[in-house]
Amino acid sequence: MPELARCLTLFQYVQAVTGGPVARIDQAGSYAVPSLRGDAFAVRPGSIALRIDADGVASAVVARDEGTGSVALHLFDADGRTVHQGRLLSEGDRLLVGLARTVEAGASVAGPSPAPEVPAWENGDQLAQLDAVLADGGVARREAFDRYRGEHRPIDVDVIASVLDHVYSVGLPVGVAVFAPAAMQACGGRVHVTDRTVGGRVFAAIADSSVEIDLAGVRACHLVRSTAAHGPTSALELDDEDGRCVAVITQFGMVGEDVHAAWEHLAASLPDA
């Protein structure tokens, strides 16, 4: 997996997609070096930020559509679910992937890499919370959330669209992470536009990414505060009907102190469920 993660950075122009029926993120560009669960993590402007649980990725497959000539790299888990997809948008990238050799199922290219130590989420920082979600969708964490030592409370799901509309209207940058089995793709920056459909689907263009959330499929929302670059930082965690966290709206990394203060003021004003 570390070797595969580094290989992703060789592609010059990719349409990277992570998510499922409830939440999805889509960004065109080049990959930053994908991080593995337990490693450091950063969201940088202009780069695709991907984080992977190496234990959850079973295979990587390059698929070519002979009719259209399109080529895509798919990561799958052991159950055959899509972890991540990267459509190769440049001819150079499509030629490059043609040089990759086929590995027989069950074969190992190299010895296993040592698994990094993952901090416990019960008293961990923001990244520890994200990694707990990355491991199993956050199901085990949510079932034992009474052990969490930070602040948390349920939030009315209906406010999510209003939160995105508000940060767009005032120009407040935000970060969004979207989860699929064993993968998380994140973006951060100003919201350029928001939209919603009659059926409850919400769209937001954030920096170089497009985020889509089906609010009809969100069964619960929790506001969780954990330690980040500027101290305790609020995150809105959206769960589907199976109790899996599908998306998180928060602030990542070293944002301005005024941005952090404005986000915390907004989070404190949100009504309980």
Short mmCIF file of all heavy atoms in Angstrom, two decimals, residues 87-132:
data_model
loop_
_atom_site.label_atom_id
_atom_site.label_comp_id
_atom_site.label_asym_id
_atom_site.label_seq_id
_atom_site.Cartn_x
_atom_site.Cartn_y
_atom_site.Cartn_z
N ARG A 87 -10.20 8.58 -12.26
CA ARG A 87 -10.26 8.54 -13.73
C ARG A 87 -9.09 9.34 -14.29
O ARG A 87 -8.89 10.51 -13.94
CB ARG A 87 -11.57 9.12 -14.25
CG ARG A 87 -12.79 8.26 -13.97
CD ARG A 87 -14.06 8.85 -14.57
NE ARG A 87 -13.94 9.03 -16.01
CZ ARG A 87 -14.00 10.21 -16.63
NH1 ARG A 87 -14.17 11.32 -15.92
NH2 ARG A 87 -13.89 10.29 -17.94
N LEU A 88 -8.32 8.70 -15.16
CA LEU A 88 -7.13 9.34 -15.73
C LEU A 88 -7.57 10.23 -16.90
O LEU A 88 -8.10 9.75 -17.90
CB LEU A 88 -6.14 8.28 -16.21
CG LEU A 88 -5.79 7.20 -15.17
CD1 LEU A 88 -4.73 6.26 -15.71
CD2 LEU A 88 -5.33 7.84 -13.86
N LEU A 89 -7.33 11.54 -16.77
CA LEU A 89 -7.87 12.49 -17.73
C LEU A 89 -6.88 12.88 -18.82
O LEU A 89 -7.28 13.47 -19.82
CB LEU A 89 -8.33 13.76 -17.00
CG LEU A 89 -9.43 13.54 -15.94
CD1 LEU A 89 -9.79 14.86 -15.28
CD2 LEU A 89 -10.66 12.89 -16.54
N SER A 90 -5.60 12.56 -18.64
CA SER A 90 -4.62 12.93 -19.66
C SER A 90 -4.13 11.69 -20.39
O SER A 90 -4.05 10.59 -19.83
CB SER A 90 -3.43 13.67 -19.04
OG SER A 90 -2.57 12.77 -18.38
N GLU A 91 -3.79 11.87 -21.65
CA GLU A 91 -3.28 10.75 -22.45
C GLU A 91 -1.97 10.23 -21.88
O GLU A 91 -1.70 9.03 -21.91
CB GLU A 91 -3.10 11.19 -23.91
CG GLU A 91 -2.67 10.07 -24.84
CD GLU A 91 -3.67 8.93 -24.89
OE1 GLU A 91 -4.88 9.18 -24.70
OE2 GLU A 91 -3.24 7.77 -25.12
N GLY A 92 -1.13 11.13 -21.36
CA GLY A 92 0.13 10.70 -20.77
C GLY A 92 -0.08 9.75 -19.60
O GLY A 92 0.63 8.77 -19.46
N ASP A 93 -1.07 10.05 -18.77
CA ASP A 93 -1.36 9.18 -17.64
C ASP A 93 -1.89 7.82 -18.11
O ASP A 93 -1.57 6.79 -17.53
CB ASP A 93 -2.39 9.84 -16.71
CG ASP A 93 -1.82 11.03 -15.95
OD1 ASP A 93 -0.58 11.10 -15.84
OD2 ASP A 93 -2.60 11.86 -15.50
N ARG A 94 -2.71 7.83 -19.16
CA ARG A 94 -3.24 6.57 -19.67
C ARG A 94 -2.13 5.71 -20.25
O ARG A 94 -2.14 4.48 -20.12
CB ARG A 94 -4.33 6.85 -20.71
CG ARG A 94 -5.61 7.42 -20.09
CD ARG A 94 -6.75 7.44 -21.07
NE ARG A 94 -6.61 8.47 -22.08
CZ ARG A 94 -7.10 9.70 -21.96
NH1 ARG A 94 -7.76 10.05 -20.86
NH2 ARG A 94 -6.95 10.59 -22.94
N LEU A 95 -1.15 6.34 -20.88
CA LEU A 95 0.00 5.59 -21.40
C LEU A 95 0.86 5.07 -20.24
O LEU A 95 1.37 3.95 -20.29
CB LEU A 95 0.84 6.49 -22.31
CG LEU A 95 0.18 6.89 -23.64
CD1 LEU A 95 1.05 7.91 -24.37
CD2 LEU A 95 -0.06 5.66 -24.50
N LEU A 96 1.01 5.89 -19.22
CA LEU A 96 1.83 5.49 -18.07
C LEU A 96 1.26 4.27 -17.38
O LEU A 96 2.00 3.33 -17.04
CB LEU A 96 1.92 6.65 -17.07
CG LEU A 96 2.66 6.38 -15.76
CD1 LEU A 96 4.13 6.08 -16.04
CD2 LEU A 96 2.52 7.57 -14.82
N VAL A 97 -0.06 4.23 -17.18
CA VAL A 97 -0.65 3.12 -16.46
C VAL A 97 -0.56 1.84 -17.28
O VAL A 97 -0.59 0.73 -16.74
CB VAL A 97 -2.11 3.44 -16.08
CG1 VAL A 97 -3.06 3.21 -17.26
CG2 VAL A 97 -2.55 2.61 -14.89
N GLY A 98 -0.40 1.97 -18.60
CA GLY A 98 -0.22 0.78 -19.43
C GLY A 98 1.07 0.06 -19.17
O GLY A 98 1.23 -1.12 -19.55
N LEU A 99 2.01 0.72 -18.50
CA LEU A 99 3.29 0.08 -18.17
C LEU A 99 3.21 -0.75 -16.90
O LEU A 99 4.13 -1.52 -16.61
CB LEU A 99 4.37 1.16 -17.99
CG LEU A 99 4.62 2.08 -19.18
CD1 LEU A 99 5.64 3.15 -18.82
CD2 LEU A 99 5.10 1.27 -20.38
N ALA A 100 2.13 -0.60 -16.15
CA ALA A 100 2.00 -1.34 -14.88
C ALA A 100 1.82 -2.83 -15.16
O ALA A 100 1.05 -3.22 -16.03
CB ALA A 100 0.83 -0.81 -14.08
N ARG A 101 2.53 -3.64 -14.43
CA ARG A 101 2.41 -5.08 -14.65
C ARG A 101 1.26 -5.65 -13.84
O ARG A 101 0.86 -5.09 -12.82
CB ARG A 101 3.72 -5.78 -14.28
CG ARG A 101 4.08 -5.75 -12.81
CD ARG A 101 5.48 -6.34 -12.62
NE ARG A 101 5.90 -6.34 -11.23
CZ ARG A 101 5.70 -7.35 -10.40
NH1 ARG A 101 5.06 -8.42 -10.81
NH2 ARG A 101 6.13 -7.29 -9.16
N THR A 102 0.73 -6.76 -14.31
CA THR A 102 -0.37 -7.44 -13.63
C THR A 102 0.17 -8.30 -12.51
O THR A 102 1.17 -9.00 -12.68
CB THR A 102 -1.16 -8.31 -14.63
OG1 THR A 102 -1.68 -7.47 -15.65
CG2 THR A 102 -2.30 -9.04 -13.93
N VAL A 103 -0.49 -8.26 -11.38
CA VAL A 103 -0.13 -9.10 -10.24
C VAL A 103 -1.24 -10.11 -10.02
O VAL A 103 -2.42 -9.74 -9.95
CB VAL A 103 0.06 -8.24 -8.96
CG1 VAL A 103 0.41 -9.13 -7.78
CG2 VAL A 103 1.15 -7.20 -9.19
N GLU A 104 -0.91 -11.37 -9.97
CA GLU A 104 -1.92 -12.41 -9.78
C GLU A 104 -2.62 -12.23 -8.43
O GLU A 104 -2.02 -11.79 -7.45
CB GLU A 104 -1.28 -13.80 -9.85
CG GLU A 104 -0.68 -14.14 -11.21
CD GLU A 104 -1.71 -14.14 -12.31
OE1 GLU A 104 -2.88 -14.51 -12.03
OE2 GLU A 104 -1.39 -13.76 -13.45
N ALA A 105 -3.88 -12.59 -8.41
CA ALA A 105 -4.65 -12.48 -7.17
C ALA A 105 -3.98 -13.27 -6.07
O ALA A 105 -3.60 -14.42 -6.25
CB ALA A 105 -6.07 -13.01 -7.39
N GLY A 106 -3.82 -12.66 -4.92
CA GLY A 106 -3.20 -13.32 -3.78
C GLY A 106 -1.71 -13.15 -3.72
O GLY A 106 -1.07 -13.51 -2.74
N ALA A 107 -1.11 -12.61 -4.78
CA ALA A 107 0.34 -12.43 -4.79
C ALA A 107 0.71 -11.17 -4.01
O ALA A 107 -0.09 -10.26 -3.84
CB ALA A 107 0.85 -12.31 -6.22
N SER A 108 1.93 -11.12 -3.54
CA SER A 108 2.42 -9.98 -2.79
C SER A 108 3.64 -9.42 -3.49
O SER A 108 4.59 -10.15 -3.78
CB SER A 108 2.79 -10.39 -1.35
OG SER A 108 3.34 -9.31 -0.65
N VAL A 109 3.60 -8.13 -3.83
CA VAL A 109 4.73 -7.52 -4.51
C VAL A 109 5.90 -7.31 -3.57
O VAL A 109 7.05 -7.47 -3.93
CB VAL A 109 4.29 -6.17 -5.12
CG1 VAL A 109 5.46 -5.45 -5.76
CG2 VAL A 109 3.19 -6.40 -6.15
N ALA A 110 5.60 -6.97 -2.34
CA ALA A 110 6.65 -6.74 -1.34
C ALA A 110 6.13 -7.18 0.01
O ALA A 110 4.95 -7.45 0.18
CB ALA A 110 7.04 -5.26 -1.32
N GLY A 111 7.03 -7.25 0.96
CA GLY A 111 6.62 -7.64 2.30
C GLY A 111 5.71 -6.60 2.92
O GLY A 111 5.72 -5.43 2.51
N PRO A 112 4.90 -6.98 3.90
CA PRO A 112 3.98 -6.03 4.53
C PRO A 112 4.72 -4.92 5.25
O PRO A 112 5.75 -5.15 5.86
CB PRO A 112 3.17 -6.91 5.50
CG PRO A 112 4.07 -8.08 5.78
CD PRO A 112 4.83 -8.33 4.51
N SER A 113 4.19 -3.73 5.15
CA SER A 113 4.78 -2.59 5.85
C SER A 113 4.27 -2.58 7.29
O SER A 113 3.13 -2.97 7.56
CB SER A 113 4.38 -1.28 5.17
OG SER A 113 4.84 -1.27 3.83
N PRO A 114 5.10 -2.16 8.24
CA PRO A 114 4.63 -2.12 9.62
C PRO A 114 3.48 -1.13 9.78
O PRO A 114 3.53 -0.03 9.22
CB PRO A 114 5.87 -1.65 10.41
CG PRO A 114 6.73 -0.97 9.38
CD PRO A 114 6.48 -1.69 8.09
N ALA A 115 2.45 -1.53 10.48
CA ALA A 115 1.29 -0.67 10.67
C ALA A 115 1.64 0.45 11.65
O ALA A 115 2.23 0.20 12.70
CB ALA A 115 0.12 -1.48 11.22
N PRO A 116 1.31 1.72 11.31
CA PRO A 116 1.60 2.81 12.23
C PRO A 116 0.70 2.74 13.46
O PRO A 116 -0.39 2.18 13.41
CB PRO A 116 1.28 4.06 11.40
CG PRO A 116 0.28 3.59 10.40
CD PRO A 116 0.64 2.17 10.09
N GLU A 117 1.19 3.30 14.54
CA GLU A 117 0.39 3.33 15.75
C GLU A 117 -0.73 4.35 15.60
O GLU A 117 -0.50 5.49 15.19
CB GLU A 117 1.27 3.70 16.95
CG GLU A 117 0.51 3.72 18.27
CD GLU A 117 1.40 4.09 19.44
OE1 GLU A 117 2.61 4.16 19.25
OE2 GLU A 117 0.86 4.28 20.55
N VAL A 118 -1.95 3.94 15.89
CA VAL A 118 -3.10 4.82 15.76
C VAL A 118 -3.56 5.23 17.16
O VAL A 118 -3.90 4.37 17.98
CB VAL A 118 -4.25 4.12 15.02
CG1 VAL A 118 -5.46 5.04 14.92
CG2 VAL A 118 -3.79 3.68 13.63
N PRO A 119 -3.58 6.53 17.47
CA PRO A 119 -3.98 6.96 18.82
C PRO A 119 -5.42 6.57 19.12
O PRO A 119 -6.27 6.50 18.24
CB PRO A 119 -3.83 8.48 18.75
CG PRO A 119 -2.93 8.74 17.59
CD PRO A 119 -3.18 7.64 16.61
N ALA A 120 -5.70 6.31 20.38
CA ALA A 120 -7.06 5.98 20.81
C ALA A 120 -7.94 7.22 20.65
O ALA A 120 -7.54 8.34 20.99
CB ALA A 120 -7.05 5.52 22.25
N TRP A 121 -9.15 7.02 20.16
CA TRP A 121 -10.03 8.15 19.91
C TRP A 121 -10.64 8.71 21.18
O TRP A 121 -11.06 9.87 21.21
CB TRP A 121 -11.14 7.75 18.93
CG TRP A 121 -11.99 6.61 19.40
CD1 TRP A 121 -11.82 5.28 19.10
CD2 TRP A 121 -13.15 6.67 20.25
NE1 TRP A 121 -12.79 4.52 19.71
CE2 TRP A 121 -13.61 5.35 20.42
CE3 TRP A 121 -13.82 7.71 20.87
CZ2 TRP A 121 -14.74 5.05 21.20
CZ3 TRP A 121 -14.93 7.42 21.64
CH2 TRP A 121 -15.38 6.11 21.80
N GLU A 122 -10.70 7.92 22.26
CA GLU A 122 -11.39 8.36 23.46
C GLU A 122 -10.85 9.68 24.00
O GLU A 122 -11.60 10.52 24.48
CB GLU A 122 -11.29 7.31 24.56
CG GLU A 122 -12.11 6.06 24.29
CD GLU A 122 -11.34 5.00 23.53
OE1 GLU A 122 -10.29 5.35 22.93
OE2 GLU A 122 -11.75 3.82 23.52
N ASN A 123 -9.55 9.88 23.91
CA ASN A 123 -8.97 11.15 24.35
C ASN A 123 -8.03 11.70 23.28
O ASN A 123 -7.11 12.45 23.57
CB ASN A 123 -8.23 10.99 25.68
CG ASN A 123 -7.11 9.97 25.59
OD1 ASN A 123 -7.00 9.25 24.59
ND2 ASN A 123 -6.28 9.90 26.61
N GLY A 124 -8.29 11.32 22.02
CA GLY A 124 -7.42 11.72 20.93
C GLY A 124 -7.81 13.05 20.31
O GLY A 124 -8.86 13.64 20.61
N ASP A 125 -6.96 13.52 19.40
CA ASP A 125 -7.19 14.79 18.73
C ASP A 125 -8.10 14.59 17.52
O ASP A 125 -8.69 13.52 17.33
CB ASP A 125 -5.86 15.42 18.33
CG ASP A 125 -5.06 14.54 17.36
OD1 ASP A 125 -5.58 13.50 16.89
OD2 ASP A 125 -3.90 14.90 17.08
N GLN A 126 -8.21 15.63 16.70
CA GLN A 126 -9.10 15.58 15.54
C GLN A 126 -8.73 14.43 14.61
O GLN A 126 -9.60 13.72 14.11
CB GLN A 126 -9.03 16.91 14.79
CG GLN A 126 -9.95 17.00 13.58
CD GLN A 126 -9.69 18.24 12.76
OE1 GLN A 126 -8.63 18.40 12.15
NE2 GLN A 126 -10.66 19.15 12.74
N LEU A 127 -7.44 14.23 14.38
CA LEU A 127 -7.02 13.18 13.46
C LEU A 127 -7.34 11.80 14.01
O LEU A 127 -7.68 10.88 13.24
CB LEU A 127 -5.52 13.31 13.17
CG LEU A 127 -4.97 12.46 12.04
CD1 LEU A 127 -5.76 12.64 10.75
CD2 LEU A 127 -3.50 12.78 11.80
N ALA A 128 -7.25 11.63 15.31
CA ALA A 128 -7.62 10.33 15.91
C ALA A 128 -9.09 10.04 15.70
O ALA A 128 -9.48 8.88 15.48
CB ALA A 128 -7.29 10.34 17.40
N GLN A 129 -9.94 11.08 15.73
CA GLN A 129 -11.37 10.87 15.48
C GLN A 129 -11.60 10.47 14.02
O GLN A 129 -12.39 9.56 13.73
CB GLN A 129 -12.16 12.14 15.80
CG GLN A 129 -11.88 12.77 17.16
CD GLN A 129 -11.97 11.78 18.31
OE1 GLN A 129 -12.91 11.00 18.41
NE2 GLN A 129 -10.97 11.80 19.18
N LEU A 130 -10.92 11.14 13.10
CA LEU A 130 -11.06 10.80 11.69
C LEU A 130 -10.58 9.38 11.40
O LEU A 130 -11.20 8.64 10.62
CB LEU A 130 -10.29 11.81 10.83
CG LEU A 130 -10.78 13.26 10.87
CD1 LEU A 130 -9.84 14.16 10.09
CD2 LEU A 130 -12.20 13.37 10.31
N ASP A 131 -9.48 8.99 12.03
CA ASP A 131 -8.95 7.64 11.80
C ASP A 131 -9.87 6.57 12.38
O ASP A 131 -9.95 5.46 11.85
CB ASP A 131 -7.55 7.51 12.40
CG ASP A 131 -6.48 8.02 11.45
OD1 ASP A 131 -6.81 8.28 10.27
OD2 ASP A 131 -5.32 8.16 11.87
N ALA A 132 -10.56 6.88 13.47
CA ALA A 132 -11.51 5.92 14.03
C ALA A 132 -12.67 5.71 13.06
O ALA A 132 -13.19 4.60 12.93
CB ALA A 132 -12.03 6.42 15.38
#
